[in-house]
Amino acid sequence: MYSTPAGAAASRGQAMVPDWLGDWKAAAPLLVQFEIRLMPMSAGVDASGFLEWYRFYLHKDAAARAAIVKAVTHRLEKTR
């Protein structure tokens, strides 16, 4: 769910960073928290207006996580 910083043993207690792009356990709650609508299509996936094409990823679920992260990042930037 979370990735550890490089040199985790010597990280001096740094906070764990969520792995939104690599782990559904970290990315899926973002759908609810930020009210992201995920729509799979034949050639890509749309997350509330942020489209990722499947052909650029090894797996369709990786494209979905990337679209989610783009949508959430956009929402976070708007709240600054």
Side-chain angles (χ1 to χ4, degrees), residues 48-70:
S48 293
F50 292 86
L51 180 63
E52 286 297 315
W53 301 106
Y54 295 138
R55 69 177 180 253
F56 296 122
Y57 296 88
L58 291 176
H59 304 283
K60 289 181 178 182
D61 64 322
R65 288 191 306 269
I68 292 167
V69 170
K70 281 187 176 182

Side-chain angles (χ1 to χ4, degrees), residues 1-4 16-29:
M1 179 168 178
Y2 294 96
S3 62
T4 57
M16 301 288 274
V17 178
D19 184 13
W20 291 349
L21 286 174
D23 188 357
W24 271 110
K25 291 178 203 168

Side-chain angles (χ1 to χ4, degrees), residues 11-54:
S11 67
R12 300 180 310 278
Q14 292 177 354
M16 301 288 274
V17 178
D19 184 13
W20 291 349
L21 286 174
D23 188 357
W24 271 110
K25 291 178 203 168
L30 298 173
L31 294 170
V32 176
Q33 182 180 351
F34 291 94
E35 299 177 353
I36 303 296
R37 176 188 37 83
L38 193 64
M39 289 189 47
M41 299 178 294
S42 61
V45 61
D46 179 292
S48 293
F50 292 86
L51 180 63
E52 286 297 315
W53 301 106
Y54 295 138

